[in-house]
């Protein structure tokens, strides 16, 4: 039976496991399962895994790996250890029901300056956009760009909207944006080009906490519309 993954070297201290060249929840479940297994059963020299949409980057300490006879390179030996875990991967059997994180969002107005534009481009009312955006659970495919920024896929085509032609220089922390069929949340103030439709009072990046990020790859989130009064109350609780 042919393998459903391919190994690629990333320099001399990492391996990229590529599962597919297309994005789907099924492919990402393979990413999540293998990440869980490596975190639970690391090999000598393992440092960390960075999961993404269709792949995992597995980092290791080259100097802590003693390559046995029969392997030409450390990369080949690490691939063999990864393959053993892939073949014996039972993480899916042990997976808990998926976790949904509640994300309160104040949509529109000063919190979501692009909500009206997203509605206009999709021939909808702003309220329709809010209902559709908050109407289902979304899978977090990856964390990146900024610390704790979740790349969330699968928003309905009804509200899909391309990035702004001119990015903003300052996007407030907590801003919820749309780019194509993805949605995401800016964890810190940063430049950005996503269409901003709302803002959450939750802190996604907490440098003093363990873990320092609220969200992680493999979780699901659901956006919950709130009013400005609740936004301010939750923000004060956070502070």
């Amino acid at each position: 039976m042919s393998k459903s993954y391919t190994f690629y070297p990333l320099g001399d201290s990492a391996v990229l496991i590529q599962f597919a060249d297309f994005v789907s929840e099924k492919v990402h479940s393979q990413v999540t399962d293998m990440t869980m297994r490596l975190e639970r059963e690391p090999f000598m020299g393992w440092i960390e895994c960075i999961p993404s949409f269709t792949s995992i980057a597995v980092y290791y300490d080259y100097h802590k790996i003693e390559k046995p006879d029969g392997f030409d390179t450390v990369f080949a030996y690490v691939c063999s250890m990864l393959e053993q875990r892939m073949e014996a991967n039972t993480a899916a059997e042990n997976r808990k029901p998926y976790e949904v994180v509640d994300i309160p969002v104040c949509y529109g107005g000063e919190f979501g300056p692009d909500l009206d534009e997203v509605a206009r481009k999709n021939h909808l009312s702003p309220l329709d956009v809010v209902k559709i955006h908050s109407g289902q659970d979304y899978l977090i495919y990856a964390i990146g760009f900024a610390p704790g920024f979740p790349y969330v896929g699968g928003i309905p085509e009804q509200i899909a909207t391309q990035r702004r032609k001119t990015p903003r220089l300052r996007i407030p922390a907590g801003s919820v944006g749309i780019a194509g069929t993805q949605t995401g949340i800016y964890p810190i103030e940063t430049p950005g080009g996503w269409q901003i439709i709302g803002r959450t009072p939750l802190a996604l990046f907490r440098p003093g906490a363990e873990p320092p990020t609220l969200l992680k790859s493999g979780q699901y989130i659901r956006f919950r519309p709130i009013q400005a009064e609740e936004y301010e109350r939750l923000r004060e609780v956070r502070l």
Side-chain angles (χ1 to χ4, degrees):
M1 186 170 66
S2 61
K3 297 177 182 177
S4 59
Y5 52 88
T6 305
F7 297 128
Y8 297 99
L10 288 177
D12 62 358
S13 58
V15 175
L16 181 73
I17 309 174
Q18 183 75 45
F19 291 91
D21 57 3
F22 57 90
V23 176
S24 74
E25 292 200 14
K26 182 178 180 180
V27 170
H28 195 264
S29 71
Q30 294 178 281
V31 172
T32 301
D33 291 345
M34 186 58 178
T35 300
M36 290 169 56
R37 188 167 185 85
L38 281 168
E39 290 176 345
R40 194 172 57 240
E41 303 174 18
F43 55 85
M44 181 66 72
W46 177 84
I47 297 175
E48 65 175 342
C49 291
I50 307 296
S52 186
F53 285 77
T54 60
S55 64
I56 309 170
V58 182
Y59 290 87
Y60 55 87
D61 187 337
Y62 182 93
H63 300 288
K64 291 185 178 179
I65 295 178
E66 296 183 7
K67 176 177 66 66
D69 294 338
F71 293 93
D72 293 334
T73 63
V74 170
F75 170 74
Y77 177 52
V78 170
C79 288
S80 75
M81 291 190 287
L82 294 174
E83 192 159 25
Q84 289 174 13
R85 285 160 175 76
M86 297 285 283
E87 299 299 325
N89 192 349
T90 58
E93 299 172 6
N94 300 324
R95 180 184 289 184
K96 299 177 182 177
Y98 72 74
E99 178 184 3
V100 181
V101 180
D102 176 69
I103 305 292
V105 177
C106 191
Y107 287 94
E110 64 175 301
F111 300 111
D114 297 325
L115 176 62
D116 290 348
E117 180 71 4
V118 170
R120 186 187 64 78
K121 288 185 173 179
N122 288 290
H123 309 291
L124 298 168
S125 71
L127 181 58
D128 287 335
V129 173
V130 173
K131 287 181 177 177
I132 294 169
H133 188 258
S134 59
Q136 67 178 67
D137 300 338
Y138 298 103
L139 173 63
I140 300 173
Y141 282 94
I143 300 292
F145 164 61
F149 183 100
Y151 283 95
V152 181
I155 69 168
E157 290 284 351
Q158 295 165 282
I159 58 172
T161 309
Q162 295 303 309
R163 290 174 170 82
R164 291 170 53 84
K165 291 183 178 178
T166 304
R168 292 186 171 91
L169 296 179
R170 298 176 62 183
I171 301 290
S175 293
V176 176
I178 288 177
T181 56
Q182 294 186 89
T183 185
I185 310 169
Y186 287 82
I188 58 175
E189 182 179 289
T190 178
W194 291 36
Q195 305 280 357
I196 304 303
I197 62 171
R199 195 185 307 168
T200 179
L202 300 184
L204 271 66
F205 179 52
R206 307 163 297 176
E210 182 57 45
T213 57
L214 176 67
L215 303 173
K216 62 181 180 181
S217 173
Q219 290 177 320
Y220 283 76
I221 62 176
R222 177 175 281 252
F223 298 103
R224 175 169 58 86
I226 60 173
Q227 300 300 313
E229 292 79 10
E230 185 175 359
Y231 175 93
E232 294 300 335
R233 181 179 63 78
L234 292 173
R235 191 177 69 87
E236 289 176 3
V237 170
R238 185 192 77 183
L239 296 175

